[in-house]
Amino acid sequence: MPPVYETDSSVYRPGMTWTRTSREILPCPPSALWAPLADFTRWPDWDPDLAGVELHGPAAVGSTGFLVPNGFRGRVHSRVAEPFTITSLTEHREIAFRQPIPLGAMELVLTLTEVDGGTEFVQKVTMGGPLRSVMVAIIGGDVVKHFDVKCARLAELAAAQADHDA
């Protein structure tokens, strides 16, 4: 099934947010997807936009970390960005974090819901602040654009883990 992209807001006015929700059914249970999602250091294994992730302590609500995007963005981000903060962490269900961006924030929420035939994987990206349109052009668009690649890689990692565990 191809990914579905929903637009919560497509009007760009000062003070408003940009939100995109993507979803796809993956052919594995939530427990199989949880390992690569909950281990932040493994995010580059499935997210083509990341070169690395560093977590400052154990994964828990309130913990902070640092994302390193690929390429030029990563070099800039490494010099100027503040750490992200985990805002939600519910085993086998949800991971969310807030990444400060200039004069605003990016919120990323990843949810897993068991459905017939596997797991619905949902990614919701929200950017807010007066520079959100600029930040969407720099990073937000890629987060949405590469959703299908993320899904394929997560499914591969889950299948490999299941084979390893068998």
Side-chain angles (χ1 to χ4, degrees):
M1 179 169 136
V4 176
Y5 301 103
E6 298 175 357
T7 302
D8 295 329
S9 174
S10 61
V11 180
Y12 301 106
R13 292 188 295 224
M16 293 188 69
T17 59
W18 176 90
T19 300
R20 297 294 183 272
T21 303
S22 308
R23 55 178 37 99
E24 188 167 330
I25 305 298
L26 303 180
C28 44
S31 59
L33 294 165
W34 188 252
L37 286 175
D39 182 352
F40 285 79
T41 62
R42 292 185 62 194
W43 281 27
D45 294 345
W46 58 268
D47 189 329
D49 298 314
L50 294 176
V53 178
E54 174 186 313
L55 198 56
H56 307 144
V61 173
S63 293
T64 61
F66 198 74
L67 299 170
V68 181
N70 281 317
F72 176 74
R73 290 181 296 192
R75 290 188 297 277
V76 173
H77 187 84
S78 296
R79 291 188 176 127
V80 301
E82 297 177 40
F84 68 82
T85 302
I86 298 173
T87 57
S88 177
L89 188 63
T90 305
E91 189 172 9
H92 302 280
R93 175 77 179 121
E94 179 178 276
I95 293 175
F97 71 83
R98 183 177 194 274
Q99 171 69 58
I101 59 175
L103 303 176
M106 177 183 81
E107 306 276 346
L108 179 69
V109 180
L110 305 171
T111 57
L112 304 173
T113 304
E114 191 164 5
V115 297
D116 287 340
T119 301
E120 180 182 48
F121 176 55
V122 177
Q123 170 188 269
K124 182 176 182 181
V125 183
T126 303
M127 293 196 164
L131 296 178
R132 81 192 165 293
S133 295
V134 173
M135 297 312 295
V136 165
I138 294 172
I139 58 171
D142 283 347
V143 172
V144 173
K145 179 174 67 175
H146 297 137
F147 183 71
D148 59 336
V149 174
K150 293 176 189 179
C151 289
R153 289 183 180 174
L154 276 170
E156 288 172 10
L157 289 170
Q161 184 64 44
D163 289 345
H164 179 267
D165 292 344

